[in-house]
Short mmCIF file of all heavy atoms in Angstrom, two decimals:
data_model
loop_
_atom_site.label_atom_id
_atom_site.label_comp_id
_atom_site.label_asym_id
_atom_site.label_seq_id
_atom_site.Cartn_x
_atom_site.Cartn_y
_atom_site.Cartn_z
N MET A 854 109.99 -135.82 140.03
CA MET A 854 108.89 -136.05 139.39
C MET A 854 108.61 -134.69 138.63
O MET A 854 108.13 -133.81 139.08
CB MET A 854 107.75 -136.36 140.32
CG MET A 854 106.47 -137.05 139.72
SD MET A 854 105.32 -137.43 140.89
CE MET A 854 105.59 -139.09 141.20
N LYS A 855 108.91 -134.76 137.33
CA LYS A 855 108.67 -133.54 136.48
C LYS A 855 107.42 -133.58 135.72
O LYS A 855 107.26 -134.11 134.70
CB LYS A 855 109.93 -133.36 135.49
CG LYS A 855 111.25 -133.01 136.05
CD LYS A 855 111.28 -131.47 136.16
CE LYS A 855 112.65 -131.10 136.57
NZ LYS A 855 112.86 -129.78 136.60
N LYS A 856 106.41 -133.10 136.40
CA LYS A 856 105.00 -133.17 135.75
C LYS A 856 104.36 -131.76 136.00
O LYS A 856 104.77 -130.97 136.93
CB LYS A 856 104.11 -134.17 136.42
CG LYS A 856 104.74 -135.54 136.45
CD LYS A 856 103.74 -136.64 135.89
CE LYS A 856 104.35 -138.01 135.81
NZ LYS A 856 104.84 -138.35 134.53
N THR A 857 103.37 -131.48 135.23
CA THR A 857 102.67 -130.11 135.37
C THR A 857 101.69 -130.43 136.68
O THR A 857 101.36 -131.56 137.13
CB THR A 857 101.84 -129.85 134.17
OG1 THR A 857 100.67 -130.80 134.09
CG2 THR A 857 102.55 -129.69 133.03
N ILE A 858 101.28 -129.37 137.17
CA ILE A 858 100.35 -129.43 138.27
C ILE A 858 99.17 -130.20 137.96
O ILE A 858 98.55 -130.93 138.69
CB ILE A 858 99.99 -127.90 138.85
CG1 ILE A 858 99.28 -128.17 140.24
CG2 ILE A 858 99.22 -127.18 137.97
CD1 ILE A 858 100.18 -128.67 141.33
N GLY A 859 98.56 -129.92 136.73
CA GLY A 859 97.35 -130.71 136.31
C GLY A 859 97.66 -132.11 136.27
O GLY A 859 96.80 -133.00 136.68
N GLU A 860 98.77 -132.59 135.70
CA GLU A 860 99.20 -134.04 135.66
C GLU A 860 99.17 -134.62 137.10
O GLU A 860 98.68 -135.79 137.39
CB GLU A 860 100.39 -134.24 135.08
CG GLU A 860 100.36 -134.01 133.42
CD GLU A 860 101.73 -134.04 132.84
OE1 GLU A 860 102.75 -133.52 133.42
OE2 GLU A 860 101.78 -134.53 131.78
N LEU A 861 99.79 -133.85 138.09
CA LEU A 861 99.98 -134.26 139.47
C LEU A 861 98.54 -134.49 140.09
O LEU A 861 98.31 -135.47 140.81
CB LEU A 861 100.82 -133.28 140.27
CG LEU A 861 102.33 -133.35 139.83
CD1 LEU A 861 103.02 -132.12 140.53
CD2 LEU A 861 102.93 -134.62 140.20
N ILE A 862 97.65 -133.53 139.83
CA ILE A 862 96.42 -133.56 140.49
C ILE A 862 95.62 -134.87 139.90
O ILE A 862 94.92 -135.50 140.63
CB ILE A 862 95.53 -132.23 140.20
CG1 ILE A 862 96.26 -131.14 141.15
CG2 ILE A 862 94.07 -132.51 140.62
CD1 ILE A 862 95.77 -129.83 140.87
N ASP A 863 95.82 -135.03 138.63
CA ASP A 863 95.12 -136.30 137.90
C ASP A 863 95.59 -137.50 138.49
O ASP A 863 94.92 -138.43 138.86
CB ASP A 863 95.37 -136.13 136.39
CG ASP A 863 94.73 -137.29 135.62
OD1 ASP A 863 93.46 -137.47 135.82
OD2 ASP A 863 95.40 -138.12 134.94
N ILE A 864 96.90 -137.56 138.64
CA ILE A 864 97.48 -138.77 139.22
C ILE A 864 97.07 -138.94 140.67
O ILE A 864 96.69 -140.08 141.04
CB ILE A 864 99.18 -138.71 139.21
CG1 ILE A 864 99.57 -138.74 137.79
CG2 ILE A 864 99.76 -139.78 140.04
CD1 ILE A 864 101.05 -138.37 137.62
N LEU A 865 96.96 -137.96 141.40
CA LEU A 865 96.49 -138.03 142.83
C LEU A 865 95.06 -138.50 142.77
O LEU A 865 94.71 -139.32 143.62
CB LEU A 865 96.64 -136.66 143.44
CG LEU A 865 96.23 -136.64 144.97
CD1 LEU A 865 97.05 -137.52 145.80
CD2 LEU A 865 96.38 -135.18 145.47
N SER A 866 94.17 -137.92 141.93
CA SER A 866 92.89 -138.38 141.98
C SER A 866 92.71 -139.80 141.61
O SER A 866 91.91 -140.56 142.21
CB SER A 866 92.00 -137.55 140.89
OG SER A 866 92.04 -136.21 141.18
N VAL A 867 93.38 -140.29 140.64
CA VAL A 867 93.34 -141.69 140.14
C VAL A 867 93.81 -142.63 141.32
O VAL A 867 93.21 -143.64 141.67
CB VAL A 867 94.10 -141.99 138.96
CG1 VAL A 867 94.34 -143.46 138.47
CG2 VAL A 867 93.50 -141.23 137.75
N THR A 868 94.90 -142.21 141.94
CA THR A 868 95.55 -143.05 142.96
C THR A 868 94.47 -143.11 144.18
O THR A 868 94.37 -144.21 144.86
CB THR A 868 96.86 -142.32 143.53
OG1 THR A 868 97.68 -142.30 142.34
CG2 THR A 868 97.48 -143.22 144.68
N ASN A 869 93.81 -141.95 144.53
CA ASN A 869 92.90 -141.99 145.66
C ASN A 869 91.74 -142.90 145.30
O ASN A 869 91.24 -143.57 146.26
CB ASN A 869 92.37 -140.60 145.91
CG ASN A 869 93.27 -139.69 146.69
OD1 ASN A 869 94.18 -140.24 147.53
ND2 ASN A 869 93.24 -138.42 146.51
N THR A 870 91.23 -142.93 144.05
CA THR A 870 90.25 -143.86 143.62
C THR A 870 90.61 -145.22 143.82
O THR A 870 89.81 -146.06 144.28
CB THR A 870 89.73 -143.52 142.17
OG1 THR A 870 89.41 -142.11 142.15
CG2 THR A 870 88.62 -144.38 141.74
N LYS A 871 91.74 -145.59 143.40
CA LYS A 871 92.28 -146.96 143.52
C LYS A 871 92.41 -147.36 145.06
O LYS A 871 91.99 -148.46 145.38
CB LYS A 871 93.72 -147.13 142.96
CG LYS A 871 93.65 -147.03 141.48
CD LYS A 871 95.10 -147.24 140.83
CE LYS A 871 95.06 -147.04 139.36
NZ LYS A 871 96.52 -147.16 138.87
N ILE A 872 92.91 -146.45 145.83
CA ILE A 872 92.86 -146.75 147.25
C ILE A 872 91.44 -147.05 147.89
O ILE A 872 91.31 -147.87 148.61
CB ILE A 872 93.77 -145.64 148.09
CG1 ILE A 872 95.16 -145.65 147.72
CG2 ILE A 872 93.51 -145.81 149.51
CD1 ILE A 872 95.91 -144.45 148.08
N PHE A 873 90.60 -146.09 147.50
CA PHE A 873 89.18 -146.19 147.99
C PHE A 873 88.58 -147.50 147.71
O PHE A 873 88.01 -148.23 148.39
CB PHE A 873 88.39 -144.99 147.37
CG PHE A 873 86.95 -145.08 147.76
CD1 PHE A 873 86.46 -144.68 149.03
CD2 PHE A 873 86.00 -145.67 146.96
CE1 PHE A 873 85.14 -144.81 149.44
CE2 PHE A 873 84.62 -145.74 147.22
CZ PHE A 873 84.26 -145.32 148.53
N TYR A 874 88.83 -147.96 146.41
CA TYR A 874 88.29 -149.29 145.94
C TYR A 874 88.90 -150.39 146.74
O TYR A 874 88.12 -151.25 147.17
CB TYR A 874 88.53 -149.42 144.47
CG TYR A 874 88.26 -150.87 143.85
CD1 TYR A 874 86.96 -151.13 143.68
CD2 TYR A 874 89.22 -151.64 143.61
CE1 TYR A 874 86.58 -152.46 143.21
CE2 TYR A 874 89.04 -152.99 143.23
CZ TYR A 874 87.79 -153.35 142.98
OH TYR A 874 87.43 -154.58 142.56
N LEU A 875 90.14 -150.32 146.96
CA LEU A 875 90.84 -151.38 147.71
C LEU A 875 90.38 -151.49 149.17
O LEU A 875 90.25 -152.53 149.71
CB LEU A 875 92.33 -151.36 147.50
CG LEU A 875 92.89 -151.72 146.14
CD1 LEU A 875 94.29 -151.44 146.01
CD2 LEU A 875 92.51 -153.14 145.79
N VAL A 876 90.35 -150.26 149.75
CA VAL A 876 89.98 -150.25 151.16
C VAL A 876 88.50 -150.79 151.33
O VAL A 876 88.26 -151.48 152.27
CB VAL A 876 90.07 -148.75 151.74
CG1 VAL A 876 89.37 -148.65 153.09
CG2 VAL A 876 91.52 -148.42 151.83
N ASP A 877 87.62 -150.43 150.35
CA ASP A 877 86.22 -151.01 150.44
C ASP A 877 86.30 -152.43 150.46
O ASP A 877 85.53 -153.07 151.20
CB ASP A 877 85.50 -150.43 149.27
CG ASP A 877 84.05 -150.61 149.38
OD1 ASP A 877 83.43 -150.44 150.47
OD2 ASP A 877 83.46 -151.15 148.41
N LYS A 878 87.17 -153.06 149.56
CA LYS A 878 87.23 -154.49 149.58
C LYS A 878 87.79 -155.11 150.89
O LYS A 878 87.29 -156.19 151.41
CB LYS A 878 88.15 -155.04 148.53
CG LYS A 878 87.51 -154.88 147.02
CD LYS A 878 88.37 -155.41 145.97
CE LYS A 878 88.47 -156.97 146.01
NZ LYS A 878 88.87 -157.48 144.77
N VAL A 879 88.68 -154.37 151.51
CA VAL A 879 89.25 -154.89 152.76
C VAL A 879 88.22 -154.77 153.87
O VAL A 879 88.04 -155.73 154.65
CB VAL A 879 90.52 -154.04 153.17
CG1 VAL A 879 90.93 -154.28 154.61
CG2 VAL A 879 91.67 -154.34 152.26
N GLN A 880 87.42 -153.70 153.88
CA GLN A 880 86.45 -153.50 154.88
C GLN A 880 85.26 -154.61 154.76
O GLN A 880 84.68 -154.95 155.80
CB GLN A 880 85.76 -152.27 154.80
CG GLN A 880 86.75 -151.11 155.30
CD GLN A 880 86.24 -149.72 155.17
OE1 GLN A 880 85.36 -149.44 154.30
NE2 GLN A 880 86.80 -148.83 155.94
N LYS A 881 85.11 -155.04 153.49
CA LYS A 881 84.13 -156.11 153.33
C LYS A 881 84.75 -157.56 153.54
O LYS A 881 84.06 -158.55 153.31
CB LYS A 881 83.44 -156.03 151.89
CG LYS A 881 82.70 -154.82 151.76
CD LYS A 881 82.15 -154.69 150.28
CE LYS A 881 81.32 -153.54 150.16
NZ LYS A 881 80.90 -153.33 148.72
N ASN A 882 86.04 -157.56 153.76
CA ASN A 882 86.86 -158.85 153.93
C ASN A 882 86.81 -159.69 152.67
O ASN A 882 86.57 -160.86 152.74
CB ASN A 882 86.33 -159.70 155.20
CG ASN A 882 87.40 -160.59 155.63
OD1 ASN A 882 88.66 -160.31 155.38
ND2 ASN A 882 86.99 -161.70 156.21
N GLU A 883 86.77 -158.97 151.52
CA GLU A 883 86.89 -159.64 150.25
C GLU A 883 88.13 -159.33 149.44
O GLU A 883 88.12 -159.29 148.21
CB GLU A 883 85.65 -159.06 149.33
CG GLU A 883 84.35 -159.37 150.01
CD GLU A 883 83.15 -158.53 149.32
OE1 GLU A 883 83.45 -157.80 148.31
OE2 GLU A 883 81.93 -158.86 149.61
N HIS A 884 89.26 -159.24 150.19
CA HIS A 884 90.56 -158.88 149.48
C HIS A 884 91.52 -160.03 149.64
O HIS A 884 91.35 -160.92 150.36
CB HIS A 884 91.13 -157.67 150.34
CG HIS A 884 91.45 -157.93 151.76
ND1 HIS A 884 90.55 -158.17 152.72
CD2 HIS A 884 92.67 -158.14 152.30
CE1 HIS A 884 91.15 -158.41 153.76
NE2 HIS A 884 92.40 -158.44 153.56
N THR A 885 92.55 -159.83 148.72
CA THR A 885 93.59 -160.80 148.79
C THR A 885 94.85 -160.13 149.57
O THR A 885 94.76 -158.91 149.78
CB THR A 885 94.08 -161.10 147.34
OG1 THR A 885 94.60 -160.00 146.62
CG2 THR A 885 92.95 -161.68 146.52
N LYS A 886 95.67 -160.97 149.85
CA LYS A 886 97.01 -160.38 150.47
C LYS A 886 97.70 -159.36 149.65
O LYS A 886 98.19 -158.38 150.00
CB LYS A 886 97.95 -161.60 150.73
CG LYS A 886 99.14 -161.19 151.54
CD LYS A 886 100.01 -162.38 151.86
CE LYS A 886 101.26 -162.00 152.65
NZ LYS A 886 102.08 -163.06 152.96
N GLU A 887 97.65 -159.68 148.16
CA GLU A 887 98.21 -158.77 147.28
C GLU A 887 97.59 -157.34 147.23
O GLU A 887 98.22 -156.38 147.07
CB GLU A 887 98.27 -159.37 145.93
CG GLU A 887 99.24 -160.65 145.76
CD GLU A 887 98.65 -161.87 146.37
OE1 GLU A 887 97.39 -162.08 146.51
OE2 GLU A 887 99.44 -162.76 146.56
N GLU A 888 96.21 -157.47 147.43
CA GLU A 888 95.48 -156.18 147.36
C GLU A 888 95.83 -155.25 148.64
O GLU A 888 95.93 -154.12 148.66
CB GLU A 888 94.02 -156.47 147.20
CG GLU A 888 93.60 -156.88 145.91
CD GLU A 888 92.19 -157.47 145.64
OE1 GLU A 888 91.63 -158.08 146.81
OE2 GLU A 888 91.55 -157.32 144.71
N ALA A 889 96.00 -155.95 149.78
CA ALA A 889 96.26 -155.33 151.01
C ALA A 889 97.70 -154.67 150.95
O ALA A 889 97.81 -153.58 151.32
CB ALA A 889 96.19 -156.34 152.25
N LYS A 890 98.59 -155.39 150.25
CA LYS A 890 99.98 -154.88 150.10
C LYS A 890 99.83 -153.63 149.07
O LYS A 890 100.61 -152.73 149.20
CB LYS A 890 100.80 -155.90 149.44
CG LYS A 890 102.23 -155.43 149.00
CD LYS A 890 103.12 -155.07 150.11
CE LYS A 890 104.57 -154.87 149.69
NZ LYS A 890 104.85 -153.54 149.39
N LYS A 891 98.96 -153.83 148.05
CA LYS A 891 98.93 -152.74 147.08
C LYS A 891 98.42 -151.35 147.77
O LYS A 891 98.83 -150.31 147.28
CB LYS A 891 97.78 -153.13 146.00
CG LYS A 891 97.71 -152.24 144.92
CD LYS A 891 98.88 -152.21 143.95
CE LYS A 891 98.67 -151.31 142.77
NZ LYS A 891 99.92 -151.14 142.06
N ILE A 892 97.59 -151.49 148.69
CA ILE A 892 97.13 -150.24 149.49
C ILE A 892 98.28 -149.49 150.10
O ILE A 892 98.55 -148.40 149.99
CB ILE A 892 96.05 -150.70 150.58
CG1 ILE A 892 94.75 -151.10 149.92
CG2 ILE A 892 95.83 -149.51 151.43
CD1 ILE A 892 93.76 -151.72 150.96
N GLN A 893 99.22 -150.23 150.71
CA GLN A 893 100.45 -149.78 151.23
C GLN A 893 101.25 -149.08 150.19
O GLN A 893 101.78 -147.95 150.31
CB GLN A 893 101.17 -150.84 151.97
CG GLN A 893 100.52 -151.36 153.17
CD GLN A 893 101.38 -152.45 153.82
OE1 GLN A 893 101.87 -153.31 153.18
NE2 GLN A 893 101.48 -152.47 155.15
N ASP A 894 101.40 -149.81 149.00
CA ASP A 894 102.23 -149.16 147.95
C ASP A 894 101.65 -147.91 147.46
O ASP A 894 102.30 -146.94 147.10
CB ASP A 894 102.52 -150.20 146.87
CG ASP A 894 103.24 -151.43 147.23
OD1 ASP A 894 103.91 -151.34 148.28
OD2 ASP A 894 103.00 -152.48 146.56
N LEU A 895 100.25 -148.00 147.28
CA LEU A 895 99.47 -146.80 146.74
C LEU A 895 99.65 -145.65 147.66
O LEU A 895 99.69 -144.46 147.34
CB LEU A 895 98.14 -147.10 146.35
CG LEU A 895 97.90 -147.91 145.15
CD1 LEU A 895 96.46 -148.48 144.96
CD2 LEU A 895 98.27 -147.14 143.88
N ASN A 896 99.55 -145.87 149.06
CA ASN A 896 99.62 -144.84 150.02
C ASN A 896 101.04 -144.19 149.95
O ASN A 896 101.20 -142.96 150.11
CB ASN A 896 99.35 -145.35 151.46
CG ASN A 896 97.95 -145.32 151.65
OD1 ASN A 896 97.14 -144.49 151.36
ND2 ASN A 896 97.54 -146.28 152.47
N SER A 897 102.10 -144.99 149.75
CA SER A 897 103.43 -144.39 149.58
C SER A 897 103.50 -143.57 148.41
O SER A 897 104.05 -142.44 148.40
CB SER A 897 104.42 -145.54 149.58
OG SER A 897 105.73 -145.03 149.43
N TYR A 898 103.00 -144.03 147.34
CA TYR A 898 102.98 -143.25 146.07
C TYR A 898 102.23 -142.00 146.16
O TYR A 898 102.52 -140.95 145.65
CB TYR A 898 102.45 -144.19 144.94
CG TYR A 898 102.41 -143.44 143.49
CD1 TYR A 898 103.73 -143.05 142.95
CD2 TYR A 898 101.25 -143.26 142.87
CE1 TYR A 898 103.68 -142.54 141.77
CE2 TYR A 898 101.29 -142.61 141.60
CZ TYR A 898 102.50 -142.31 141.07
OH TYR A 898 102.64 -141.65 139.86
N ARG A 899 101.07 -142.08 146.89
CA ARG A 899 100.11 -140.89 147.05
C ARG A 899 100.99 -139.83 147.85
O ARG A 899 100.80 -138.64 147.52
CB ARG A 899 98.88 -141.29 147.85
CG ARG A 899 98.02 -140.02 148.21
CD ARG A 899 96.73 -140.36 148.71
NE ARG A 899 96.79 -141.19 149.91
CZ ARG A 899 95.73 -141.69 150.56
NH1 ARG A 899 94.52 -141.47 150.14
NH2 ARG A 899 95.89 -142.38 151.54
N SER A 900 101.75 -140.23 148.81
CA SER A 900 102.55 -139.33 149.54
C SER A 900 103.62 -138.71 148.67
O SER A 900 103.85 -137.37 148.75
CB SER A 900 103.27 -139.98 150.65
OG SER A 900 102.43 -140.31 151.68
N GLN A 901 104.31 -139.37 147.68
CA GLN A 901 105.15 -138.81 146.85
C GLN A 901 104.60 -137.73 145.98
O GLN A 901 105.06 -136.65 145.70
CB GLN A 901 105.79 -139.94 145.99
CG GLN A 901 106.65 -140.85 146.71
CD GLN A 901 107.12 -142.03 145.81
OE1 GLN A 901 106.99 -141.98 144.59
NE2 GLN A 901 107.73 -143.08 146.34
N VAL A 902 103.42 -138.15 145.40
CA VAL A 902 102.64 -137.11 144.62
C VAL A 902 102.24 -135.94 145.36
O VAL A 902 102.29 -134.74 144.83
CB VAL A 902 101.35 -137.83 143.97
CG1 VAL A 902 100.51 -136.86 143.14
CG2 VAL A 902 101.89 -138.91 142.92
N THR A 903 101.72 -136.15 146.49
CA THR A 903 101.27 -134.88 147.41
C THR A 903 102.60 -134.15 147.51
O THR A 903 102.38 -132.78 147.64
CB THR A 903 100.65 -135.52 148.59
OG1 THR A 903 99.57 -136.26 148.38
CG2 THR A 903 100.26 -134.30 149.55
N ASN A 904 103.64 -134.67 147.94
CA ASN A 904 104.80 -133.83 148.15
C ASN A 904 105.26 -133.10 146.87
O ASN A 904 105.72 -131.98 146.97
CB ASN A 904 106.05 -134.70 148.73
CG ASN A 904 105.81 -135.10 150.14
OD1 ASN A 904 105.26 -134.45 150.80
ND2 ASN A 904 106.39 -136.26 150.50
N ALA A 905 105.07 -133.59 145.68
CA ALA A 905 105.42 -132.89 144.49
C ALA A 905 104.54 -131.82 144.35
O ALA A 905 104.92 -130.77 143.87
CB ALA A 905 105.35 -133.98 143.27
N ILE A 906 103.27 -131.91 144.70
CA ILE A 906 102.28 -130.84 144.58
C ILE A 906 102.71 -129.69 145.63
O ILE A 906 102.72 -128.54 145.26
CB ILE A 906 100.78 -131.31 144.85
CG1 ILE A 906 100.37 -132.19 143.64
CG2 ILE A 906 99.83 -130.14 145.00
CD1 ILE A 906 98.99 -132.90 143.88
N ASN A 907 103.05 -130.19 146.90
CA ASN A 907 103.46 -129.35 147.91
C ASN A 907 104.60 -128.46 147.46
O ASN A 907 104.81 -127.30 147.65
CB ASN A 907 103.67 -129.92 149.16
CG ASN A 907 102.45 -130.43 149.80
OD1 ASN A 907 101.32 -129.86 149.40
ND2 ASN A 907 102.47 -131.27 150.74
N ARG A 908 105.66 -129.18 146.76
CA ARG A 908 106.86 -128.50 146.21
C ARG A 908 106.44 -127.42 145.21
O ARG A 908 107.10 -126.35 145.15
CB ARG A 908 107.86 -129.43 145.76
CG ARG A 908 108.63 -130.14 146.71
CD ARG A 908 109.85 -130.90 146.12
NE ARG A 908 109.40 -131.99 145.26
CZ ARG A 908 109.06 -133.20 145.64
NH1 ARG A 908 109.08 -133.57 146.84
NH2 ARG A 908 108.72 -134.09 144.69
N PHE A 909 105.49 -127.71 144.29
CA PHE A 909 105.03 -126.80 143.32
C PHE A 909 104.58 -125.42 143.91
O PHE A 909 104.84 -124.45 143.34
CB PHE A 909 103.92 -127.49 142.50
CG PHE A 909 103.39 -126.72 141.34
CD1 PHE A 909 104.10 -126.84 140.10
CD2 PHE A 909 102.36 -125.82 141.42
CE1 PHE A 909 103.72 -126.15 138.92
CE2 PHE A 909 101.98 -125.00 140.26
CZ PHE A 909 102.61 -125.23 139.12
N PHE A 910 103.87 -125.57 145.07
CA PHE A 910 103.27 -124.42 145.78
C PHE A 910 104.15 -123.93 146.89
O PHE A 910 103.77 -123.15 147.75
CB PHE A 910 101.88 -124.79 146.39
CG PHE A 910 100.97 -124.83 145.19
CD1 PHE A 910 100.49 -126.10 144.85
CD2 PHE A 910 100.50 -123.76 144.44
CE1 PHE A 910 99.48 -126.24 143.87
CE2 PHE A 910 99.56 -123.86 143.52
CZ PHE A 910 99.05 -125.11 143.10
N ASP A 911 105.35 -124.47 146.98
CA ASP A 911 106.38 -124.10 148.07
C ASP A 911 105.83 -124.22 149.47
O ASP A 911 105.97 -123.46 150.39
CB ASP A 911 106.86 -122.59 147.87
CG ASP A 911 107.68 -122.52 146.71
OD1 ASP A 911 108.43 -123.40 146.37
OD2 ASP A 911 107.62 -121.35 146.10
N GLU A 912 105.10 -125.42 149.60
CA GLU A 912 104.47 -125.76 150.95
C GLU A 912 105.36 -126.85 151.58
O GLU A 912 106.18 -127.40 151.10
CB GLU A 912 103.09 -126.29 150.71
CG GLU A 912 102.10 -125.35 150.09
CD GLU A 912 101.66 -124.27 151.02
OE1 GLU A 912 101.60 -124.57 152.29
OE2 GLU A 912 101.41 -123.16 150.59
N ARG A 913 105.04 -127.02 152.97
CA ARG A 913 105.76 -128.05 153.56
C ARG A 913 105.49 -129.39 153.03
O ARG A 913 104.29 -129.70 152.83
CB ARG A 913 105.28 -127.91 154.96
CG ARG A 913 106.04 -128.76 156.03
CD ARG A 913 105.80 -128.53 157.56
NE ARG A 913 104.28 -128.48 157.68
CZ ARG A 913 103.68 -129.55 158.30
NH1 ARG A 913 104.31 -130.57 158.60
NH2 ARG A 913 102.40 -129.48 158.49
N GLU A 914 106.40 -130.29 153.06
CA GLU A 914 106.25 -131.72 152.56
C GLU A 914 105.79 -132.61 153.79
O GLU A 914 106.10 -132.34 154.95
CB GLU A 914 107.42 -132.23 151.94
CG GLU A 914 107.75 -131.51 150.59
CD GLU A 914 108.96 -132.16 149.86
OE1 GLU A 914 109.20 -133.32 149.97
OE2 GLU A 914 109.69 -131.29 149.21
N GLU A 915 105.10 -133.67 153.35
CA GLU A 915 104.78 -134.79 154.38
C GLU A 915 106.02 -135.51 154.68
O GLU A 915 106.86 -135.66 153.77
CB GLU A 915 103.67 -135.64 153.82
CG GLU A 915 102.39 -135.05 153.58
CD GLU A 915 101.40 -136.11 152.96
OE1 GLU A 915 101.78 -137.18 152.98
OE2 GLU A 915 100.27 -135.64 152.69
N ILE A 916 106.03 -136.10 155.86
CA ILE A 916 107.27 -136.98 156.23
C ILE A 916 106.65 -138.31 156.30
O ILE A 916 105.78 -138.67 157.08
CB ILE A 916 107.90 -136.49 157.54
CG1 ILE A 916 108.47 -135.20 157.43
CG2 ILE A 916 108.88 -137.69 157.93
CD1 ILE A 916 109.03 -134.67 158.65
N LYS A 917 107.01 -139.20 155.31
CA LYS A 917 106.45 -140.59 155.35
C LYS A 917 107.59 -141.46 154.74
O LYS A 917 108.35 -141.07 153.94
CB LYS A 917 105.20 -140.71 154.49
CG LYS A 917 104.05 -140.13 155.23
CD LYS A 917 102.82 -140.69 154.60
CE LYS A 917 101.66 -139.96 155.47
NZ LYS A 917 100.41 -140.58 155.36
#
C-alpha cells in the first residue's frame, strides 16, 4: 500500500466510521447478513491500514 501517512489516516478514519455505523445497526438488530459480513471485511481492511501506518513509523505490526 503506497500511500502517504495522511492518506492512511484518512482511510483509517473513514473505515472506523463505517464499522461504527454497522456495529450500531447490529446492536439494534437492524442489520442484514451482508452488513454483518461487511463488518468482518472492514475489520480486516482496518488491520491492513493500521499495519501500513505501523510500518511507516517502524512499529510492530498486528497479527490478523
Side-chain angles (χ1 to χ4, degrees):
M854 200 178 266
K855 289 271 190 177
K856 304 229 182 265
T857 67
I858 190 66
E860 290 171 322
L861 291 171
I862 292 170
D863 182 56
I864 291 168
L865 184 60
S866 298
V867 170
T868 303
N869 281 334
T870 302
K871 289 178 181 179
I872 292 169
F873 176 81
Y874 171 74
L875 290 171
V876 167
D877 191 49
K878 286 184 79 169
V879 168
Q880 289 175 338
K881 293 177 183 176
N882 203 26
E883 299 171 351
H884 66 286
T885 65
K886 185 177 179 181
E887 292 78 22
E888 289 171 327
K890 171 72 171 98
K891 185 71 175 172
I892 293 171
Q893 293 176 319
D894 296 340
L895 286 169
N896 273 325
S897 177
Y898 183 61
R899 177 173 56 184
S900 290
Q901 292 174 15
V902 175
T903 301
N904 282 334
I906 292 170
N907 287 345
R908 280 191 298 275
F909 186 86
F910 290 106
D911 294 324
E912 296 288 330
R913 184 173 54 102
E914 293 186 27
E915 295 179 5
I916 299 173
K917 289 201 177 194

